[in-house]
Amino acid sequence: MHPAAQQAISTLLAEGKTPTVATVKAKLTEPLPMPVIIAALAAYKNNPDAITQSATISAPEPSEPKSQLDRIEAKLDRLLALLEEKK
């Protein structure tokens, strides 16, 4: 099962909602083809426990979570430092 689809289904379950094609598609963090979404829902319906088990197993905690803004800021700092060195 695609990790993004699995995460969307897990999020819906945590909110107490029933996963459907529309609700999963709305919760996706990246675009996925419709057959992938349907396959993920079919896998969930065949074995609902697999979602919660694999979500806890395959969700390692990042050592230092960074937002996209933090990453961009770090890159800009490095670029500015390089420009200063060239002067």
Side-chain angles (χ1 to χ4, degrees), residues 1-11 40 50-56 58:
M1 180 181 311
H2 194 281
Q6 181 179 355
Q7 180 62 36
I9 292 171
S10 295
T11 301
I51 292 290
T52 54
Q53 291 171 353
S54 60
T56 56
S58 66

Side-chain angles (χ1 to χ4, degrees), residues 12-79:
L12 288 166
L13 292 173
E15 294 174 357
K17 297 180 181 176
T18 303
T20 64
V21 172
T23 56
V24 170
K25 187 172 182 178
K27 289 288 182 185
L28 288 174
T29 57
E30 61 185 75
L32 289 178
M34 195 62 68
V36 173
I37 297 170
I38 293 169
L41 277 172
Y44 162 71
K45 288 180 181 179
N46 287 334
N47 187 6
D49 294 331
I51 292 290
T52 54
Q53 291 171 353
S54 60
T56 56
I57 294 170
S58 66
E61 292 295 319
S63 59
E64 186 177 326
K66 286 189 173 183
S67 69
Q68 185 176 6
L69 182 59
D70 291 337
R71 291 190 304 270
I72 292 171
E73 186 178 0
K75 287 179 183 179
L76 284 173
D77 289 340
R78 282 182 277 173
L79 285 172

